[in-house]
């Protein structure tokens, strides 16, 4: 039987402050995992050796973006009441890994880095991976998202990409993985309502969303867009 659980993780960001992220509405098995991510803010740079500067991701087809926008609108009133704001789903994607660059890779221009890495990713010979969704999840009261089914195919793709990039002097910041697609995010200057957002994920059944297949992985700079 599915076991209801919460994950609590303490993450210390570059500023020296701590943020508690609670992840809810997941079936717990013998292994726990949590994926923590940080959105670059004004004043951050994308070239520092410890900075999470780039990420790999999967694109979302337009018909699925349209369905996700409808779901977002359905949840809008309840989410706004909790202080959450919609993210722009025109740029929707599924993040595979957040990355940092070696000192050698940081000597490249951004154009050289993006072009060479995407060319490298194009060389991966992978069967198409099926993507489907399985309900709502959250990181405490700060991020509300749709969960992506964590299939063996998807996990294998992520780790194959991670291995390839690490051999090319691009380090994976965290190998742990909860695939998801963000719908709402709390502005940084607002206090989160963790319990209320968790209750929303528990009580909401999302409509059936179209599945789709992907075969290409892309590489991008966090500063450009990280939703």
């Amino acid at each position: 039987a599915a076991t209801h659980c919460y994950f609590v993780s303490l993450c210390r960001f570059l500023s020296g402050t701590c943020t508690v992220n609670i992840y809810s509405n997941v079936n717990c098995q013998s292994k726990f995992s949590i994926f923590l991510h940080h959105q670059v803010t004004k004043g951050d740079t994308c070239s520092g050796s410890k900075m999470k500067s780039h990420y790999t991701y999967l694109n979302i087809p337009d018909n699925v973006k349209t369905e996700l926008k409808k779901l977002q609108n359905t949840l809008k009133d309840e989410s706004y009441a909790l202080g959450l704001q919609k993210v722009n789903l025109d740029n929707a994607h599924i993040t595979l890994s957040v990355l940092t660059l070696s000192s050698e890779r940081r000597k490249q221009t951004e154009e050289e880095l993006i072009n060479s890495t995407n060319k490298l990713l194009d060389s991966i010979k992978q069967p198409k991976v099926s993507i489907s969704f399985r309900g709502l999840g959250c990181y405490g009261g700060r991020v509300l998202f749709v969960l992506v089914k964590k299939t063996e195919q998807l996990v294998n793709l992520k780790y194959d990409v991670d291995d390839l990039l690490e051999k090319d002097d691009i380090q994976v910041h965290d190998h742990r993985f909860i695939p998801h697609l963000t719908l709402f995010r709390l502005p940084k200057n607002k206090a989160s309502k963790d319990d209320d957002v968790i209750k929303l994920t528990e009580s909401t059944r999302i409509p059936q969303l179209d599945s789709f297949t992907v075969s290409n992985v892309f590489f991008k700079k966090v500063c450009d867009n990280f939703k």
Side-chain angles (χ1 to χ4, degrees):
T3 304
H4 211 69
C5 69
Y6 302 100
F7 291 106
V8 182
S9 180
L10 193 63
C11 176
R12 186 170 299 275
F13 286 102
L14 298 180
S15 62
T17 60
C18 294
T19 300
V20 176
N21 292 316
I22 304 171
Y23 181 82
S24 73
N25 209 13
V26 174
N27 295 333
C28 291
Q29 304 297 334
S30 59
K31 293 182 180 180
F32 295 161
S33 62
I34 190 71
F35 174 77
L36 304 173
H37 76 250
H38 168 60
Q39 184 177 10
V40 174
T41 57
K42 186 176 180 181
D44 288 334
T45 66
C46 288
S47 58
S49 59
K50 295 182 180 180
M51 189 67 197
K52 307 173 189 117
S53 61
H54 293 76
Y55 62 102
T56 49
Y57 66 96
L58 304 173
N59 273 331
I60 307 295
D62 289 341
N63 65 301
V64 177
K65 289 180 183 179
T66 299
E67 290 185 336
L68 290 167
K69 288 176 182 179
K70 291 178 181 177
L71 174 60
Q72 196 180 49
N73 285 330
T74 299
L75 297 169
K76 181 177 65 175
D77 290 343
E78 292 169 288
S79 298
Y80 283 4
L82 299 175
L84 299 170
Q85 293 183 355
K86 290 197 297 185
V87 303
N88 181 7
L89 291 177
D90 289 334
N91 301 314
H93 62 266
I94 299 169
T95 300
L96 292 181
S97 295
V98 182
L99 308 162
T100 60
L101 306 179
S102 69
S103 57
E104 286 300 312
R105 287 295 241 158
R106 282 185 280 117
K107 294 176 182 178
Q108 291 182 283
T109 67
E110 187 62 28
E111 183 178 5
E112 289 171 343
L113 176 65
I114 295 294
N115 289 342
S116 64
T117 306
N118 278 314
K119 185 176 180 179
L120 179 66
L121 292 173
D122 284 342
S123 70
I124 296 178
K125 303 302 179 186
Q126 283 277 353
K128 289 187 176 181
V129 175
S130 178
I131 302 294
S132 55
F133 301 95
R134 66 179 184 91
L136 294 179
C138 64
Y139 293 136
R142 306 206 69 83
V143 181
L144 178 66
F145 50 79
V146 180
L147 287 160
V148 174
K149 288 183 180 179
K150 191 175 178 179
T151 63
E152 184 178 357
Q153 277 186 318
L154 179 58
V155 171
N156 287 343
L157 175 62
K158 173 201 162 43
Y159 288 123
D160 284 349
V161 169
D162 289 354
D163 289 345
L164 182 67
L165 293 181
E166 290 191 327
K167 291 174 183 175
D168 205 45
D169 291 331
I170 299 175
Q171 290 81 41
V172 177
H173 188 79
D174 193 338
H175 284 285
R176 293 171 292 179
F177 184 43
I178 292 178
H180 67 278
L181 197 149
T182 300
L183 297 175
F184 294 89
R185 190 184 300 278
L186 187 74
K188 289 183 178 291
N189 60 346
K190 290 192 175 182
S192 63
K193 300 178 180 179
D194 293 3
D195 290 343
D196 292 330
V197 176
I198 291 170
K199 287 177 184 176
L200 177 61
T201 69
E202 294 174 338
S203 63
T204 303
R205 287 187 174 274
I206 67 171
Q208 184 69 39
L209 300 170
D210 283 348
S211 299
F212 60 97
T213 58
V214 296
S215 56
N216 295 323
V217 179
F218 301 93
F219 173 83
K220 197 172 185 179
K221 189 176 180 180
V222 167
C223 292
D224 292 339
N225 176 45
F226 194 59
K227 297 292 187 183

